[in-house]
Amino acid sequence: MKRAIEKNLISINFYNPRDFTTNKHNKVDDYQAGGGAGLLLNAQPLLDTLKKIKNKNKNIYFIFPAPAGKTFIQADAKRLANKEHIVFVNGRYEGIDERVVETYADEVFSIGDYILTGGELASCVMSDAISRNIDGVLGNKESLSEESFENMLIEAPSFTKPAIYENRSIPSEFLKGNHAKIINLKNEMAKLKTKYFRPDLYLHAKCKKEK
Ligand code: ADE
């Protein structure tokens, strides 16, 4: 991502809701209305931050990371790479006043079934996955089309040299230089690997399936 920023393919800015507070101590957290354990991000500073961002650019796409969101997948990373401006709105404490989510969220995503201390890491994960689908970000274009999830398949195992290392050999076909055969073999290995390790993905895989 550092290189993508240097090449002006992406840019990243930050807004701090604390800069939009109207209270004396620039507090952004607040107790939950009606009680409940833990603090929330208060609605006012966040709403004012997002209003300012939206007024600057009506085409902003707001993503809220949250455990309750739909699971972020490769298809989302590809689709969102076409958006010009994405704002990730990160919750802290126990979360965000729900009215902010209702007013601004274009999509809510979870990056997995576990609870992080805030949305920042989830936003970093999604930014990375989205950015690498932007033209020019990856050095080698082919690596995008060959990699895992392109057909909902796990990528075939890959190897480096030497061909034999500590008595373990790479598949002999890889050494013979017949690229059509190697591609076929890799496709078969990708299918088998997916079927074995991720049967849930295999159900949706875009490939000819044996019974
Ligand atoms: N915020 C806290 N946990 C999260 C998760 N698993 N995914 C996205 N955002 C989160």
Side-chain angles (χ1 to χ4, degrees):
M1 287 181 80
K2 179 170 171 255
R3 254 178 267 136
I5 293 169
E6 283 166 1
K7 286 200 262 174
N8 281 330
L9 296 168
I10 57 171
S11 66
I12 297 179
N13 295 305
F14 298 93
Y15 290 84
N16 187 349
R18 207 177 285 283
D19 300 334
F20 292 79
T21 45
T22 51
N23 62 70
K24 212 162 106 194
H25 299 291
N26 303 117
K27 246 171 50 110
V28 289
D29 55 349
D30 206 352
Y31 295 104
Q32 301 187 33
L39 299 164
L40 288 183
L41 267 185
N42 180 264
Q44 176 273 317
L46 203 50
L47 283 171
D48 287 351
T49 311
L50 301 186
K51 198 184 291 169
K52 169 148 185 195
I53 296 171
K54 185 111 190 174
N55 282 341
K56 268 199 193 150
N57 186 331
K58 299 278 178 238
N59 281 329
I60 293 275
Y61 200 73
F62 289 99
I63 293 179
F64 284 59
K70 58 188 169 175
T71 306
F72 182 80
I73 61 170
Q74 182 63 15
D76 298 311
K78 267 181 113 169
R79 174 173 57 84
L80 293 167
N82 295 314
K83 300 273 178 216
E84 203 170 329
H85 296 282
I86 296 177
V87 170
F88 292 96
V89 185
N90 301 313
R92 267 272 145 179
Y93 318 111
E94 285 305 302
I96 294 179
D97 184 305
E98 194 65 26
R99 289 166 294 182
V100 183
V101 185
E102 284 171 4
T103 312
Y104 281 100
D106 289 300
E107 289 187 80
V108 182
F109 281 117
S110 161
I111 62 158
D113 287 342
Y114 40 82
I115 311 291
L116 301 163
T117 48
E120 300 88 343
L121 279 175
S123 297
C124 289
V125 167
M126 290 188 272
S127 306
D128 184 285
I130 293 168
S131 302
R132 61 197 296 289
N133 285 286
I134 293 170
D135 266 357
V137 168
L138 285 190
N140 180 1
K141 252 191 151 177
E142 277 170 26
S143 51
L144 259 187
S145 61
E146 273 183 20
E147 73 192 355
S148 292
F149 298 119
E150 210 33 50
N151 306 305
M152 299 293 275
L153 284 177
I154 299 286
E155 215 172 333
S158 20
F159 306 89
T160 57
K161 287 174 184 150
I164 297 175
Y165 184 70
E166 290 189 351
N167 255 345
R168 297 166 70 102
S169 170
I170 68 176
S172 58
E173 205 60 59
F174 285 23
L175 299 170
K176 294 183 192 153
N178 181 337
H179 286 285
K181 263 191 156 172
I182 292 171
I183 286 171
N184 267 339
L185 180 63
K186 280 199 154 186
N187 283 339
E188 282 312 303
M189 289 164 103
K191 270 201 249 178
L192 288 173
K193 196 171 167 183
T194 311
K195 198 172 170 186
Y196 188 80
F197 288 109
R198 291 292 306 272
D200 55 320
L201 273 187
Y202 188 71
L203 285 178
H204 305 286
K206 292 182 207 142
C207 64
K208 215 172 137 209
K209 294 174 207 171
E210 305 85 35
K211 293 219 178 74

Coordinates of all heavy atoms in Angstrom, one line a residue, residues 161-205:
K161 N 12.5 -23.4 -5.9 CA 13.6 -24.3 -6.1 C 14.3 -24.5 -4.8 O 14.2 -23.6 -3.9 CB 14.5 -23.8 -7.2 CG 13.9 -23.9 -8.5 CD 14.7 -23.3 -9.6 CE 14.0 -23.4 -10.9 NZ 14.3 -22.3 -11.8
P162 N 15.0 -25.5 -4.5 CA 15.3 -26.6 -5.4 C 14.1 -27.6 -5.5 O 13.2 -27.6 -4.6 CB 16.5 -27.3 -4.6 CG 16.3 -27.0 -3.2 CD 15.6 -25.6 -3.1
A163 N 14.2 -28.5 -6.5 CA 13.1 -29.4 -6.7 C 13.0 -30.4 -5.6 O 11.9 -30.9 -5.3 CB 13.4 -30.1 -8.1
I164 N 14.2 -30.8 -5.0 CA 14.1 -31.7 -3.9 C 14.8 -30.9 -2.7 O 15.9 -30.4 -2.8 CB 14.9 -33.0 -4.1 CG1 14.2 -33.7 -5.3 CG2 14.9 -33.9 -2.9 CD1 14.9 -35.0 -5.8
Y165 N 14.0 -30.9 -1.6 CA 14.5 -30.2 -0.4 C 14.2 -31.1 0.8 O 13.1 -31.5 1.0 CB 13.8 -28.9 -0.3 CG 14.4 -28.0 0.9 CD1 15.6 -27.5 0.9 CD2 13.5 -27.8 2.0 CE1 16.1 -26.8 1.9 CE2 14.0 -27.1 3.1 CZ 15.3 -26.6 3.0 OH 15.8 -25.8 4.1
E166 N 15.3 -31.5 1.5 CA 15.1 -32.4 2.7 C 14.3 -33.6 2.3 O 13.3 -33.9 3.0 CB 14.5 -31.6 3.9 CG 15.5 -30.6 4.5 CD 15.1 -30.0 5.8 OE1 14.0 -30.2 6.2 OE2 16.0 -29.3 6.4
N167 N 14.7 -34.2 1.2 CA 14.0 -35.4 0.7 C 12.6 -35.3 0.2 O 11.9 -36.3 0.0 CB 14.0 -36.5 1.8 CG 15.1 -37.5 1.6 OD1 15.6 -37.6 0.5 ND2 15.4 -38.3 2.6
R168 N 12.1 -34.1 0.1 CA 10.7 -33.9 -0.4 C 10.8 -33.2 -1.7 O 11.4 -32.1 -1.9 CB 9.9 -33.0 0.6 CG 9.8 -33.7 2.0 CD 9.3 -32.7 3.0 NE 7.9 -32.4 2.7 CZ 6.9 -32.9 3.4 NH1 7.1 -33.7 4.4 NH2 5.6 -32.6 3.1
S169 N 10.1 -33.8 -2.7 CA 10.2 -33.3 -4.0 C 8.9 -32.5 -4.4 O 7.8 -32.7 -3.8 CB 10.3 -34.5 -5.0 OG 10.1 -34.1 -6.3
I170 N 9.1 -31.6 -5.3 CA 7.9 -30.9 -5.8 C 7.3 -31.9 -6.9 O 7.9 -32.8 -7.4 CB 8.2 -29.5 -6.4 CG1 9.0 -29.6 -7.7 CG2 8.9 -28.7 -5.4 CD1 9.3 -28.3 -8.3
P171 N 6.0 -31.7 -7.3 CA 5.4 -32.6 -8.3 C 6.3 -32.6 -9.6 O 6.7 -31.5 -10.1 CB 4.0 -32.0 -8.6 CG 3.7 -31.2 -7.4 CD 5.0 -30.7 -6.9
S172 N 6.6 -33.7 -10.1 CA 7.6 -33.9 -11.2 C 7.1 -33.1 -12.4 O 8.0 -32.6 -13.2 CB 7.8 -35.3 -11.5 OG 6.6 -35.9 -11.9
E173 N 5.8 -33.0 -12.7 CA 5.3 -32.3 -13.8 C 5.8 -30.8 -13.9 O 6.0 -30.3 -15.0 CB 3.8 -32.3 -13.8 CG 3.1 -32.2 -15.1 CD 3.5 -33.3 -16.1 OE1 3.3 -34.5 -15.8 OE2 4.0 -33.0 -17.2
F174 N 6.0 -30.2 -12.7 CA 6.4 -28.8 -12.6 C 7.8 -28.6 -13.2 O 8.2 -27.5 -13.4 CB 6.4 -28.3 -11.1 CG 5.0 -28.1 -10.6 CD1 3.9 -28.7 -11.2 CD2 4.8 -27.2 -9.5 CE1 2.6 -28.4 -10.7 CE2 3.6 -27.0 -9.0 CZ 2.5 -27.6 -9.6
L175 N 8.6 -29.7 -13.3 CA 10.0 -29.6 -13.7 C 10.1 -29.9 -15.2 O 11.2 -29.6 -15.8 CB 10.8 -30.7 -13.0 CG 10.9 -30.5 -11.5 CD1 11.5 -31.7 -10.9 CD2 11.6 -29.2 -11.1
K176 N 9.0 -30.3 -15.9 CA 9.2 -30.7 -17.3 C 8.9 -29.6 -18.3 O 9.2 -29.8 -19.5 CB 8.2 -31.9 -17.6 CG 8.6 -33.2 -16.8 CD 7.7 -34.3 -17.1 CE 7.9 -35.5 -16.1 NZ 6.7 -36.3 -16.0
G177 N 8.4 -28.5 -17.8 CA 8.3 -27.4 -18.7 C 7.1 -27.4 -19.7 O 7.0 -26.5 -20.5
N178 N 6.2 -28.3 -19.6 CA 5.0 -28.3 -20.4 C 3.9 -27.5 -19.7 O 3.2 -27.9 -18.9 CB 4.5 -29.8 -20.7 CG 3.3 -29.8 -21.6 OD1 2.5 -28.8 -21.7 ND2 3.1 -30.9 -22.3
H179 N 3.8 -26.2 -20.2 CA 3.0 -25.3 -19.4 C 1.5 -25.6 -19.4 O 0.8 -25.4 -18.4 CB 3.2 -23.8 -19.9 CG 4.6 -23.4 -19.3 ND1 4.8 -23.0 -18.0 CD2 5.8 -23.3 -19.9 CE1 6.0 -22.8 -17.8 NE2 6.7 -22.9 -19.0
A180 N 1.0 -26.1 -20.6 CA -0.4 -26.5 -20.7 C -0.7 -27.6 -19.6 O -1.7 -27.6 -18.9 CB -0.8 -27.0 -22.0
K181 N 0.2 -28.6 -19.5 CA 0.0 -29.7 -18.6 C 0.1 -29.1 -17.1 O -0.7 -29.6 -16.3 CB 1.1 -30.7 -18.8 CG 0.6 -31.9 -19.6 CD 1.7 -33.0 -19.6 CE 1.0 -34.3 -19.9 NZ 2.0 -35.4 -20.0
I182 N 1.0 -28.2 -16.9 CA 1.2 -27.7 -15.5 C -0.1 -26.9 -15.1 O -0.6 -27.1 -14.0 CB 2.4 -26.8 -15.5 CG1 3.7 -27.6 -15.6 CG2 2.5 -26.0 -14.2 CD1 5.0 -26.8 -15.8
I183 N -0.7 -26.2 -16.1 CA -1.9 -25.4 -15.8 C -3.0 -26.4 -15.4 O -3.7 -26.2 -14.4 CB -2.3 -24.5 -16.9 CG1 -1.3 -23.3 -16.9 CG2 -3.7 -24.0 -16.8 CD1 -1.4 -22.4 -18.1
N184 N -3.1 -27.5 -16.2 CA -4.2 -28.5 -15.9 C -4.0 -29.1 -14.6 O -4.9 -29.2 -13.8 CB -4.1 -29.6 -17.0 CG -5.0 -29.3 -18.1 OD1 -5.9 -28.6 -18.0 ND2 -4.7 -30.0 -19.2
L185 N -2.7 -29.4 -14.3 CA -2.4 -30.0 -13.0 C -2.8 -29.1 -11.8 O -3.4 -29.5 -10.8 CB -1.0 -30.4 -12.9 CG -0.5 -31.1 -11.6 CD1 -1.2 -32.4 -11.4 CD2 1.0 -31.3 -11.7
K186 N -2.4 -27.8 -12.0 CA -2.7 -26.8 -11.0 C -4.2 -26.6 -10.8 O -4.6 -26.5 -9.6 CB -2.1 -25.5 -11.4 CG -0.6 -25.4 -11.1 CD -0.1 -24.0 -11.0 CE 1.2 -23.9 -10.1 NZ 1.6 -22.5 -9.9
N187 N -4.9 -26.7 -11.9 CA -6.4 -26.6 -11.7 C -6.9 -27.7 -10.9 O -7.8 -27.5 -10.1 CB -7.1 -26.5 -13.1 CG -6.9 -25.2 -13.8 OD1 -6.7 -24.2 -13.1 ND2 -7.0 -25.1 -15.1
E188 N -6.5 -28.9 -11.2 CA -6.9 -30.1 -10.5 C -6.5 -30.0 -9.0 O -7.3 -30.3 -8.2 CB -6.3 -31.4 -11.1 CG -7.0 -31.9 -12.4 CD -8.5 -31.9 -12.3 OE1 -9.0 -32.6 -11.4 OE2 -9.2 -31.2 -13.1
M189 N -5.3 -29.6 -8.8 CA -4.9 -29.4 -7.4 C -5.7 -28.4 -6.6 O -6.0 -28.6 -5.5 CB -3.4 -29.1 -7.3 CG -2.5 -30.2 -7.7 SD -0.8 -29.6 -8.1 CE 0.0 -30.1 -6.6
A190 N -6.0 -27.3 -7.3 CA -6.8 -26.3 -6.7 C -8.2 -26.8 -6.3 O -8.7 -26.6 -5.2 CB -7.0 -25.1 -7.7
K191 N -8.8 -27.6 -7.2 CA -10.1 -28.2 -6.9 C -10.0 -29.1 -5.7 O -10.8 -29.0 -4.8 CB -10.6 -29.0 -8.1 CG -11.4 -28.2 -9.1 CD -12.2 -29.2 -10.0 CE -11.7 -29.2 -11.4 NZ -12.4 -30.2 -12.2
L192 N -9.0 -30.0 -5.7 CA -8.9 -31.0 -4.6 C -8.6 -30.3 -3.3 O -9.2 -30.7 -2.3 CB -7.8 -32.0 -4.9 CG -8.1 -33.0 -6.1 CD1 -6.8 -33.8 -6.4 CD2 -9.2 -33.9 -5.6
K193 N -7.7 -29.3 -3.4 CA -7.4 -28.6 -2.1 C -8.6 -27.9 -1.5 O -8.9 -27.9 -0.3 CB -6.3 -27.6 -2.4 CG -5.6 -27.0 -1.2 CD -4.4 -26.2 -1.6 CE -3.9 -25.4 -0.4 NZ -2.7 -24.6 -0.7
T194 N -9.4 -27.3 -2.4 CA -10.6 -26.6 -2.0 C -11.6 -27.6 -1.4 O -12.2 -27.4 -0.3 CB -11.3 -25.8 -3.1 OG1 -10.3 -25.1 -3.8 CG2 -12.4 -24.9 -2.6
K195 N -11.8 -28.7 -2.1 CA -12.8 -29.7 -1.7 C -12.4 -30.2 -0.3 O -13.2 -30.5 0.6 CB -12.8 -30.8 -2.7 CG -14.0 -31.7 -2.6 CD -14.0 -32.7 -3.8 CE -15.0 -33.8 -3.7 NZ -14.9 -34.8 -4.7
Y196 N -11.1 -30.4 -0.1 CA -10.6 -31.0 1.2 C -10.6 -30.0 2.3 O -11.1 -30.3 3.4 CB -9.2 -31.5 1.0 CG -8.7 -32.3 2.1 CD1 -9.0 -33.7 2.3 CD2 -7.8 -31.8 3.1 CE1 -8.6 -34.4 3.4 CE2 -7.3 -32.5 4.2 CZ -7.7 -33.8 4.3 OH -7.3 -34.5 5.4
F197 N -10.0 -28.8 2.1 CA -9.9 -27.9 3.2 C -11.0 -26.9 3.4 O -11.3 -26.4 4.5 CB -8.6 -27.0 3.0 CG -7.3 -27.8 3.2 CD1 -6.5 -28.1 2.1 CD2 -7.0 -28.2 4.5 CE1 -5.3 -28.8 2.3 CE2 -5.8 -28.9 4.7 CZ -5.0 -29.2 3.6
R198 N -11.7 -26.6 2.2 CA -12.8 -25.6 2.4 C -14.1 -26.2 1.6 O -14.5 -25.6 0.6 CB -12.4 -24.3 1.8 CG -11.4 -23.5 2.6 CD -11.9 -23.1 4.0 NE -13.1 -22.3 3.9 CZ -13.1 -21.0 3.7 NH1 -12.0 -20.3 3.7 NH2 -14.3 -20.3 3.6
P199 N -14.7 -27.3 2.1 CA -15.8 -27.8 1.4 C -17.0 -26.8 1.2 O -17.7 -26.8 0.3 CB -16.3 -29.0 2.3 CG -15.5 -28.8 3.6 CD -14.3 -28.0 3.3
D200 N -17.0 -25.8 2.2 CA -18.0 -24.8 2.1 C -17.8 -23.9 0.8 O -18.8 -23.5 0.2 CB -18.0 -23.9 3.3 CG -16.6 -23.3 3.6 OD1 -15.6 -24.0 3.4 OD2 -16.5 -22.1 4.0
L201 N -16.6 -23.6 0.5 CA -16.3 -22.8 -0.7 C -16.5 -23.7 -2.0 O -17.0 -23.2 -3.0 CB -14.8 -22.4 -0.7 CG -14.4 -21.1 -0.1 CD1 -12.9 -20.9 -0.4 CD2 -15.2 -20.0 -0.5
Y202 N -16.1 -25.0 -1.9 CA -16.2 -25.8 -3.0 C -17.6 -25.9 -3.6 O -17.9 -26.0 -4.8 CB -15.7 -27.2 -2.6 CG -15.6 -28.2 -3.8 CD1 -14.6 -28.0 -4.8 CD2 -16.5 -29.2 -4.0 CE1 -14.4 -28.8 -5.9 CE2 -16.3 -30.1 -5.1 CZ -15.3 -29.9 -6.0 OH -15.2 -30.7 -7.1
L203 N -18.6 -25.8 -2.6 CA -20.0 -25.9 -3.1 C -20.3 -24.7 -4.1 O -21.2 -24.9 -4.9 CB -20.9 -25.7 -1.8 CG -21.1 -26.8 -0.9 CD1 -22.0 -26.4 0.3 CD2 -21.7 -28.0 -1.6
H204 N -19.6 -23.6 -3.9 CA -19.9 -22.4 -4.8 C -18.9 -22.3 -5.9 O -18.9 -21.3 -6.6 CB -20.0 -21.2 -3.9 CG -21.0 -21.3 -2.8 ND1 -22.3 -21.2 -3.0 CD2 -20.8 -21.5 -1.5 CE1 -22.9 -21.3 -1.9 NE2 -22.0 -21.5 -0.9
A205 N -17.9 -23.2 -5.9 CA -16.8 -23.0 -6.9 C -17.3 -23.0 -8.3 O -18.2 -23.8 -8.7 CB -15.8 -24.1 -6.6

